[in-house]
Amino acid sequence: MHTNLMESFAEVLTAPKYLPCISLIMPFDPKMGLKKELDYKLKIAVDKIEKEIEINYPEEKSFPVMQKLHKVIDELNYNTHKKSIAIFVSPLIEKVYYLDMPVDEKIIIDESFEIRDLVYSKKEIHKYLLAVLSSKWTKIYLGNTVHFIRITSNVPDNIEAYKNDISEKIANFSDENKRKEILLNKFLMHTDNGLTLLLNAYKLPLFVMGTPKTIGHFKALSHNIKHVIDYIPGNFEESTEAEFHKIMTPYLQNWKIVQQKKVMNQIEEAMGCKKLAVGINQVWKAAGEKRGRLLVVEKNFVFPAQHGSSPDVIYNNDDLVQKPFYIKDAVDDIIEKVLASGGDVEFVDEGILKDFSKIALIEYF
């Protein structure tokens, strides 16, 4: 994001409101596509805006704002390494922001620009990791609603690789079942190490398939339990990749639940590492110090506030009168600060963060 992005956001949000006001949020990733394709998508979006403006406003009001919009479009930076843009145009102001998050296209006319619109427009990418465990092998897949790809880690995925690796004492056990259990645990422990590397690389929700016995062994020794969204019990040794993909369908139908579980797992991990700010006051301070990696906030949570004796202190202000140092909504200000410092934002359902005072900030580890 731009160095002065936070100040730029503030300028837009506090600007006098003169209709028509236009907000255009859309994907913009020049390094992943052709300029010709981006130009075409922008033209389609601008045509939609122009038609609606012409229907609802006289020419003397629509012409100046459309001129500004065309000027912004013509001056877009195609050398950016960002993923999306947010454009705001009114008769008095024209702004464009280059953002790090993928978004769905959104056009808003006749409303003031809201920072939450950026977050609400963030594209939901349904990616996940699936670990299929058996007593003989492990298969790990990177999946989404369309593709299903097997990936490899740097550890062997077949138990045969570890048979000669156990000690002579264990190999000579007369209890064959005991020997098999020790071998299985060793195999699953190495599998878990491989999962750790993959989860560090992909940072995605994890699902685990396997027999109840194998899942039980995995739970007893895994260091990645906090990443698991759900366990899927069954015998899948003869199942095909197409069948794995089909089995996953009902688990992905409500992606919001998957995403919220993932976010809560991240919060628990951050809390264990003492890298979690909880409640509006702690979060305000941490965001101001640019420590925010992921802001998690309940939908519809607003916090009118007033500055305290220093910039990192705020107080609740329920008065309708806008006093000196009044903050209309401290949550919106926090969102701006987190996005401006390269962090991300997730909204969750009301009540999900009841133990965290409705708002929590995961800091950079």
Side-chain angles (χ1 to χ4, degrees):
M1 283 198 170
H2 295 166
T3 305
N4 297 321
L5 183 55
M6 191 166 65
E7 291 82 359
S8 186
F9 273 135
E11 182 182 349
V12 169
L13 294 172
T14 58
K17 305 302 186 291
Y18 290 89
L19 297 180
C21 297
I22 300 168
S23 299
L24 171 60
I25 302 164
M26 65 183 296
F28 188 80
D29 194 350
K31 69 180 183 298
M32 296 299 291
L34 298 174
K35 182 178 183 296
K36 193 173 182 180
E37 292 176 359
L38 289 173
D39 286 342
Y40 178 74
K41 291 176 182 177
L42 283 163
K43 182 181 183 306
I44 296 298
V46 171
D47 286 347
K48 289 179 188 176
I49 293 169
E50 197 154 26
K51 286 178 183 177
E52 187 170 339
I53 289 284
E54 288 176 354
I55 291 171
N56 294 295
Y57 292 91
E59 185 177 355
E60 62 268 20
K61 288 190 174 182
S62 64
F63 182 73
V65 76
M66 288 308 303
Q67 266 195 323
K68 286 181 178 289
L69 180 60
H70 283 293
K71 178 175 179 290
V72 169
I73 298 294
D74 290 342
E75 295 175 355
L76 286 175
N77 177 16
Y78 282 82
N79 294 319
T80 180
H81 292 284
K82 305 300 183 180
K83 298 176 183 175
S84 57
I85 52 173
I87 297 171
F88 176 80
V89 177
S90 77
L92 293 183
I93 195 167
E94 57 191 65
K95 289 289 179 181
V96 57
Y97 312 108
Y98 298 87
L99 306 169
D100 286 315
M101 57 186 177
V103 299
D104 288 315
E105 182 179 308
K106 188 172 186 178
I107 296 171
I108 305 166
I109 300 175
D110 295 346
E111 297 180 17
S112 59
F113 184 87
E114 295 288 345
I115 190 68
R116 295 185 190 224
D117 289 329
L118 294 179
V119 183
Y120 291 146
S121 299
K122 186 166 63 170
K123 191 176 185 67
E124 287 191 350
I125 302 176
H126 298 186
K127 287 185 179 180
Y128 62 93
L129 288 173
L130 170 65
V132 186
L133 310 177
S134 85
S135 59
K136 301 175 183 177
W137 47 254
T138 296
K139 296 177 181 177
I140 301 174
Y141 297 90
L142 174 63
N144 58 33
T145 51
V146 178
H147 302 293
F148 198 68
I149 304 167
R150 186 173 177 184
I151 56 179
T152 57
S153 65
N154 64 340
V155 298
D157 58 8
N158 195 297
I159 199 168
E160 293 293 327
Y162 300 95
K163 279 192 173 180
N164 296 325
D165 196 32
I166 57 176
S167 68
E168 187 68 24
K169 181 178 179 182
I170 295 175
N172 289 333
F173 271 174
S174 58
D175 188 341
E176 183 63 19
N177 289 332
K178 184 67 175 177
R179 181 178 182 276
K180 286 181 179 179
E181 284 202 4
I182 292 172
L183 183 59
L184 177 61
N185 283 340
K186 186 176 184 65
F187 173 51
L188 291 176
M189 187 163 51
H190 283 274
T191 296
D192 190 60
N193 292 338
L195 273 175
T196 298
L197 296 175
L198 291 174
L199 287 163
N200 285 337
Y202 290 100
K203 300 188 185 302
L204 295 173
L206 172 65
F207 293 85
V208 177
M209 285 185 186
T211 63
K213 178 182 176 182
T214 306
I215 288 176
H217 280 262
F218 177 80
K219 286 181 178 180
L221 57 83
S222 175
H223 293 96
N224 293 300
I225 297 298
K226 58 184 175 292
H227 296 291
V228 179
I229 301 299
D230 219 335
Y231 295 93
I232 306 168
N235 188 337
F236 303 103
E237 289 195 356
E238 304 300 323
S239 300
T240 64
E241 291 185 3
E243 288 170 332
F244 293 146
H245 198 191
K246 186 176 180 180
I247 291 167
M248 285 302 301
T249 300
Y251 291 88
L252 305 175
Q253 285 177 341
N254 194 338
W255 186 255
K256 182 173 70 173
I257 292 176
V258 173
Q259 187 65 18
Q260 289 185 164
K261 283 184 177 179
K262 175 194 170 188
V263 166
M264 293 309 295
N265 287 345
Q266 289 177 295
I267 285 177
E268 294 293 333
E269 181 184 15
M271 189 162 52
C273 297
K274 301 187 184 306
K275 290 292 183 179
L276 185 70
V278 175
I280 194 74
N281 291 299
Q282 286 187 21
V283 170
W284 175 272
K285 187 176 188 297
E289 294 172 354
K290 300 182 180 181
R291 290 188 274 126
R293 179 170 67 84
L294 176 63
L295 174 68
V296 186
V297 60
E298 289 189 1
K299 290 180 180 178
N300 304 321
F301 176 47
V302 296
F303 192 88
Q306 189 169 350
H307 281 292
S309 56
S310 63
D312 61 351
V313 176
I314 56 172
Y315 300 102
N316 188 19
N317 183 358
D318 291 327
D319 294 340
L320 296 178
V321 179
Q322 295 189 10
K323 299 176 180 178
F325 311 111
Y326 172 84
I327 304 170
K328 181 181 177 182
D329 181 14
V331 177
D332 277 357
D333 284 18
I334 289 168
I335 292 171
E336 293 170 34
K337 291 176 182 179
V338 171
L339 291 176
S341 61
D344 201 354
V345 180
E346 288 286 352
F347 284 111
V348 296
D349 290 340
E350 292 183 30
I352 295 291
L353 296 177
K354 62 181 183 297
D355 296 328
F356 302 92
S357 301
K358 298 181 178 293
I359 188 168
L361 183 68
I362 298 173
E363 302 174 8
Y364 288 102
F365 284 30

